[in-house]
C-alpha cells in the first residue's frame, strides 16, 4: 500500500493506544524490509529509524501517536490499527476513519483479539461485523473476518481452540497454548485472559456473574411488546440517581412448558382454563400442550431507559449516542433525569398492559411512588439487600441456561448484564455489584426487582416453573436440580454412570 502501488504521496500509518504499541507493527515492517534489499532497491524504499520512505512518490510509513488530536490534517492511504479492543475511547478511531475518506482507494485495517470492554468501539465494530456476516446488515465497503470458537464449543478443548488460531502450529505454539490452558482450568482469574487472547471470545468482568454467550442466545429480535398487549406483567423500576441510567423494565411470563410464539399471545382468544385475565383481555389457549402440574416459567423482558443529555455528551460510554439514535435510550434535557417522563411511561404501560405491580428500589422513589400509588398503581418496595436479590439472580441465571428467558436483543440490557459482578457471601447468597462507576448495572437492578415479584406470583399461583440450579455433583458444571426423594440432585447428564 505504501510503495508497491506507486500512489503519489501515500501516507501510511500504524496506530494503537500508545505510540509504543503502534511501533510494534512498524518495527515488524522495518525488520522485514531490512531483510529485503532487492525490494528496497527496486522500489526506492529507504528504511529509517522512525519512518520508511519512498522519495520518488513522496510516500511514507510511520507509527502514529495515540493522541486523537494528532491525526488532524493527515491524508492517509492506509491505516493499520493494532489491538482495537484496548482503545479506551472512540475518538482516535473516529478521527482516523474520517481522515481515511479523503483519498480514493484508501483503506483502514483494524486487527485485534476480543476484549472485555463491551461499551467500547471495538465491541461496536465486532457486533457490526457479526450483523454483516449473518446478513442482517449490508455494507459492501466493510470486510470482516472473525476466527473464534463456536457458541456451543467447550473453550477448554484443544480441537475448539484451534478454530480461533488459524496459524496453529506455525506462529502459534500448541505446547504453549496447552500450558496456558492448564493454568486457566486451575485458576479462575486466568480464564478471561485465556478466552480473549486464545479463543477470541468476548468476556465481561474478571469475576462476572453471567455466561454472556448463553445470555446472547436468549435474544430474539422478532419479539415485540405489542404482542403482549393486555397481558399481565411486573414493571421493575430502578431510579438510581438523577445523573445515571434510569431503568424501567416490563417482565411478562408464561407458565407453559411449551410456550406459544410471542406473536400468538395477543391473537388467541381463550386460555386453557377459559377465564379472562385480570385486565379483561382473555389470554392465549394452550391447545396441544400436555397438562403439567409444574410447568416451566418463561420470561419476556422489555426495557425502557433514560439518561440526561449532558451525560450522553460526556460520553462515558461511546455507545450511548448510538443507543439514543436506535431509540433504546430516551434523553432528558439538561443535567438530570426527568422523573415525570418515567411516571408518564408507567402510566402508559398501565393503559396498554395488565401491570400487576411496580417493583421499585426505595432509593429516590418517594415522589414517584406517591404519585403512582394515588392513581391506583400497586407499588412494591424491593430493598436492595441479599435476601431480596439472591433468589432472583439464581432464577434469572437458571432461566438463561434453560432457554426460558427471552429479550429482543436489547443492547443496553445486554451491556448491563455483562457488567454485573456477583458477590457471594459465606452462605452462598448472591448480590449484584459492579467493578466501576462507568460499568452501569441499573437495567439489571430493574430486571431483578421485577423478577423478585414474578417469583412471588409463581409461589402464590402454585406454578412450579421456578428452577433450582447448582453445580453438578460429578463435575461441578452448573445444571438444573431434580428432586430425588426428599432431596435435590444436581447432575448435568454428561456422565454415563
Amino acid at each position: 500500500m505504501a510503495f508497491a502501488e506507486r500512489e503519489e504521496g501515500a501516507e501510511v500509518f500504524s496506530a494503537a493506544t500508545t505510540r509504543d504499541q503502534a511501533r510494534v507493527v512498524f518495527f515488524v515492517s522495518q525488520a522485514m524490509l531490512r531483510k529485503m534489499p532487492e525490494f528496497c532497491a527496486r522500489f526506492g524504499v529507504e528504511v529509517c529509524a522512525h519512518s520508511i520512505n519512498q522519495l520518488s512518490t513522496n510516500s511514507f510509513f510511520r507509527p502514529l501517536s495515540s493522541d486523537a488530536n494528532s491525526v488532524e490534517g493527515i491524508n492517509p492511504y492506509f491505516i493499520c490499527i493494532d489491538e482495537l479492543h484496548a482503545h479506551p475511547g472512540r475518538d482516535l478511531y473516529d478521527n482516523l476513519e474520517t481522515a481515511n475518506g479523503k483519498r480514493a482507494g484508501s483503506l483502514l485495517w483494524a486487527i485485534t483479539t476480543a476484549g472485555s470492554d463491551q461499551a467500547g468501539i471495538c465491541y461496536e465494530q465486532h457486533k457490526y461485523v457479526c450483523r454483516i456476516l449473518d446478513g442482517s446488515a449490508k455494507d459492501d465497503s466493510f470486510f470482516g473476518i472473525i476466527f473464534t470458537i463456536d457458541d456451543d464449543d467447550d473453550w477448554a478443548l484443544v480441537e475448539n481452540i484451534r478454530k480461533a488460531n488459524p496459524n496453529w502450529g506455525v506462529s502459534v505454539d500448541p505446547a504453549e497454548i496447552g500450558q496456558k490452558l492448564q493454568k486457566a482450568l486451575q485458576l479462575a482469574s486466568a480464564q478471561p485472559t485465556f478466552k480473549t487472547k486464545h479463543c477470541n471470545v468476548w468476556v465481561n468482568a474478571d469475576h462476572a456473574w453471567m455466561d454472556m454467550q448463553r445470555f446472547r442466545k436468549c435474544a430474539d429480535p422478532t419479539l415485540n411488546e405489542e404482542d403482549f398487549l393486555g397481558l399481565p406483567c411486573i414493571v421493575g423500576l430502578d431510579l438510581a440517581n438523577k445523573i445515571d441510567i434510569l431503568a424501567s423494565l416490563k417482565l411478562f411470563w408464561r407458565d407453559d412448558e411449551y410456550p406459544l410464539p410471542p406473536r400468538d399471545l395477543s391473537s388467541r382468544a381463550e386460555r386453557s382454563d377459559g377465564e379472562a385475565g385480570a385486565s379483561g383481555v382473555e389470554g392465549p389457549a394452550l391447545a396441544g400442550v400436555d397438562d403439567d402440574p409444574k410447568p416451566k416459567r418463561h420470561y419476556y423482558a422489555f426495557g425502557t431507559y433514560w439518561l440526561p443529555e449532558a451525560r450522553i455528551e460526556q460520553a462515558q460510554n461511546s455507545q450511548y449516542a448510538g443507543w439514543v439514535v436506535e431509540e433504546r435510550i430516551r434523553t432528558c434535557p439538561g443535567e438530570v433525569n426527568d422523573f415525570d417522563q418515567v411516571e408518564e411511561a408507567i402510566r402508559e404501560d398501565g393503559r396498554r398492559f395488565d401491570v400487576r405491580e411496580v417493583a421499585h428500589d426505595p432509593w429516590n422513589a418517594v415522589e414517584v411512588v406517591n404519585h403512582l400509588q394515588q392513581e391506583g398503581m400497586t407499588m412494591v418496595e424491593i430493598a436492595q439487600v441479599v435476601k431480596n436479590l439472591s433468589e432472583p439472580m439464581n432464577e434469572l441465571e437458571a432461566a438463561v441456561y434453560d432457554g426460558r428467558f427471552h429479550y429482543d436483543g436489547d443492547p443496553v440490557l445486554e451491556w448491563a448484564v455483562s457488567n454485573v459482578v456477583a458477590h457471594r457471601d459465606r452462605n452462598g447468597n448472591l448480590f449484584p455489584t459492579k467493578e466501576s462507576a462507568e460499568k452501569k448495572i441499573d437495567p439489571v437492578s430493574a430486571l431483578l426487582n421485577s423478577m423478585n415479584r414474578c417469583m412471588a406470583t409463581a409461589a402464590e399461583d402454585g406454578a412450579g416453573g421456578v428452577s433450582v440450579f447448582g453445580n453438578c455433583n460429578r463435575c461441578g458444571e452448573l445444571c438444573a436440580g431434580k428432586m430425588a426423594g426428599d432431596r435435590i440432585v444436581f447432575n448435568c447428564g454428561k456422565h454415563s454412570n
Side-chain angles (χ1 to χ4, degrees), residues 101-284:
K102 298 177 183 177
R103 185 193 294 259
S106 60
L107 186 65
L108 186 152
W109 186 27
I111 52 179
T112 187
T113 64
S116 61
D117 183 6
Q118 298 187 30
I121 181 63
C122 186
Y123 189 70
E124 178 183 298
Q125 296 299 304
H126 169 80
K127 295 289 283 186
Y128 187 51
V129 171
C130 289
R131 290 177 58 204
I132 293 173
L133 294 175
D134 67 21
S136 61
K138 183 175 177 59
D139 186 348
D140 292 336
S141 70
F142 198 111
F143 173 81
I145 186 168
I146 302 172
F147 291 98
T148 184
I149 63 176
D150 293 321
D151 289 342
D152 295 327
D153 283 346
D154 183 347
W155 64 270
L157 296 179
V158 172
E159 57 264 33
N160 294 332
I161 298 172
R162 291 187 64 169
K163 298 177 184 179
N165 295 273
N167 229 23
W168 187 266
V170 183
S171 62
V172 179
D173 183 1
E176 183 179 352
I177 297 297
Q179 293 172 2
K180 292 179 179 179
L181 173 60
Q182 290 305 311
K183 179 181 178 181
L185 290 173
Q186 299 176 65
L187 189 62
S189 60
Q191 291 183 14
T193 298
F194 186 88
K195 289 179 180 180
T196 56
K197 302 302 182 186
H198 304 297
C199 299
N200 205 24
V201 170
W202 281 86
V203 300
N204 24 298
D206 287 344
H207 302 285
W209 164 51
M210 184 64 71
D211 181 334
M212 291 307 296
Q213 284 184 293
R214 287 183 182 268
F215 186 83
R216 293 185 187 105
K217 287 182 182 179
C218 298
D220 180 359
T222 67
L223 277 181
N224 190 323
E225 64 179 40
E226 297 295 321
D227 298 321
F228 294 79
L229 292 175
L231 295 181
C233 68
I234 304 289
V235 173
L237 191 61
D238 185 83
L239 296 174
N241 60 55
K242 294 190 176 183
I243 60 174
D244 279 336
I245 294 178
L246 197 161
S248 174
L249 189 140
K250 295 183 287 292
L251 192 62
F252 298 87
W253 65 90
R254 300 249 326 149
D255 288 326
D256 312 330
E257 184 176 4
Y258 306 102
L260 295 169
R263 294 196 179 280
D264 294 332
L265 289 175
S266 59
S267 62
R268 303 292 289 269
E270 296 180 359
R271 296 174 60 173
S272 60
D273 55 11
E275 297 178 0
S279 65
V281 178
E282 294 186 284

Side-chain angles (χ1 to χ4, degrees), residues 7 15 115 163 229 319 327 368 387 441:
E7 172 77 9
K163 298 177 184 179
L229 292 175
Q319 297 194 67
E327 299 182 346
V368 173
K387 71 175 183 178
I441 63 172

Side-chain angles (χ1 to χ4, degrees), residues 53-125:
N53 307 307
Q54 187 181 55
L55 297 180
S56 62
T57 60
N58 196 31
S59 301
F60 62 80
F61 174 29
R62 298 172 186 166
L64 194 65
S65 167
S66 61
D67 181 6
N69 295 325
S70 70
V71 306
E72 299 293 341
I74 66 174
N75 186 18
Y77 188 52
F78 178 76
I79 302 170
C80 177
I81 302 179
D82 193 20
E83 297 298 355
L84 184 60
H85 77 89
H87 286 231
R90 65 179 305 127
D91 291 347
L92 180 61
Y93 183 91
D94 285 345
N95 288 349
L96 289 173
E97 187 176 41
T98 300
N100 200 51
K102 298 177 183 177
R103 185 193 294 259
S106 60
L107 186 65
L108 186 152
W109 186 27
I111 52 179
T112 187
T113 64
S116 61
D117 183 6
Q118 298 187 30
I121 181 63
C122 186
Y123 189 70
E124 178 183 298
Q125 296 299 304

Side-chain angles (χ1 to χ4, degrees), residues 421-434:
V421 178
H423 172 73
R424 188 179 296 273
D425 65 19
R426 61 184 180 182
N427 295 318
N429 297 311
L430 296 177
F431 187 80
T433 62
K434 56 188 177 184

Side-chain angles (χ1 to χ4, degrees), residues 351-410:
R351 290 188 284 267
R352 300 172 66 220
F353 308 102
D354 178 11
V355 177
R356 299 288 178 86
E357 299 174 353
V358 177
H360 64 90
D361 175 355
W363 181 257
N364 282 334
V366 173
E367 183 178 353
V368 173
V369 168
N370 287 340
H371 290 169
L372 295 177
Q373 211 161 30
Q374 290 172 10
E375 297 173 18
M377 287 277 187
T378 301
M379 308 297 291
V380 180
E381 180 177 302
I382 308 294
Q384 303 298 285
V385 294
V386 168
K387 71 175 183 178
N388 290 335
L389 300 179
S390 182
E391 282 306 311
M393 288 181 74
N394 284 327
E395 172 60 3
L396 178 57
E397 188 175 17
V400 168
Y401 272 70
D402 251 355
R404 298 184 289 104
F405 180 78
H406 314 273
Y407 71 111
D408 65 353
D410 178 353

